Amino acid sequence: MVRRLTTLWGAVRAASAVADLARQSQTDRFGVSGPVTVYLQAEESEVTLRRWTEPLVEVRTRLDAPFGWRIAAEQDEAGVYVVAKRRALVGGLSRAEFIIAAPPDAYYILKLANCRLTLDGWDGTLHLPPPDANGLTRLEAR
């Protein structure tokens, strides 16, 4: 009985280690003062934008199969920039979620390809015109 339990516990630990390799979470925080631009370029991801009163931009990234992504996040005097690209061969196995919280006066520039976008806690009117000749849609919020 003890031997079986030891074997079972070893299998549980091995499965947990594999799951940890398959998932990765990271939170980046960027202090801001005054209006800020938040730029996100992502593909085939889930993106949530939140407004909050903190004087910082927080980017929470959750990756399944993180080896399939190249991600960079930087800040300069004008804004915060996040770029996420899938790797050519293994990127199809990967999934990503980005949750961005920023002050209410943040200006967003989103370059998204086949993404799901959620606006959490927003009020206003969002205009969604049809795509232009290049297949791009310019979103305009008022």
Side-chain angles (χ1 to χ4, degrees):
M1 177 72 167
V2 171
R3 189 175 194 183
R4 219 181 268 176
L5 186 58
T6 302
T7 302
L8 180 60
W9 187 246
V12 167
R13 277 186 281 167
S16 177
V18 168
D20 289 344
L21 288 174
R23 284 189 222 106
Q24 176 183 326
S25 293
Q26 178 176 328
T27 300
D28 294 305
R29 291 181 181 92
F30 304 93
V32 297
S33 58
V36 63
T37 296
V38 177
Y39 175 85
L40 172 66
Q41 178 179 341
E43 53 193 45
E44 299 185 32
S45 303
E46 295 196 23
V47 176
T48 300
L49 303 181
R50 292 187 176 144
R51 289 182 168 163
W52 67 357
T53 58
E54 300 296 321
L56 55 90
V57 174
E58 180 180 85
V59 180
R60 285 192 289 161
T61 306
R62 295 182 188 148
L63 303 174
D64 288 340
F67 51 81
W69 290 94
R70 290 178 297 152
I71 297 179
E74 295 182 4
Q75 179 182 22
D76 66 14
E77 63 280 346
V80 173
Y81 311 90
V82 179
V83 176
K85 294 192 172 216
R86 287 176 166 230
R87 294 186 186 272
L89 297 176
V90 294
L93 305 171
S94 304
R95 189 179 148 314
E97 178 182 12
F98 300 93
I99 301 170
I100 300 175
D105 60 355
Y107 179 80
Y108 288 91
I109 300 173
L110 306 173
K111 184 176 181 184
L112 305 177
N114 197 29
C115 289
R116 175 179 290 161
L117 176 62
T118 302
L119 302 176
D120 186 6
W122 289 58
D123 293 318
T125 302
L126 181 65
H127 297 259
L128 298 171
D132 64 15
N134 297 320
L136 301 176
T137 300
R138 292 186 59 87
L139 304 179
E140 181 181 331
R142 293 184 188 179

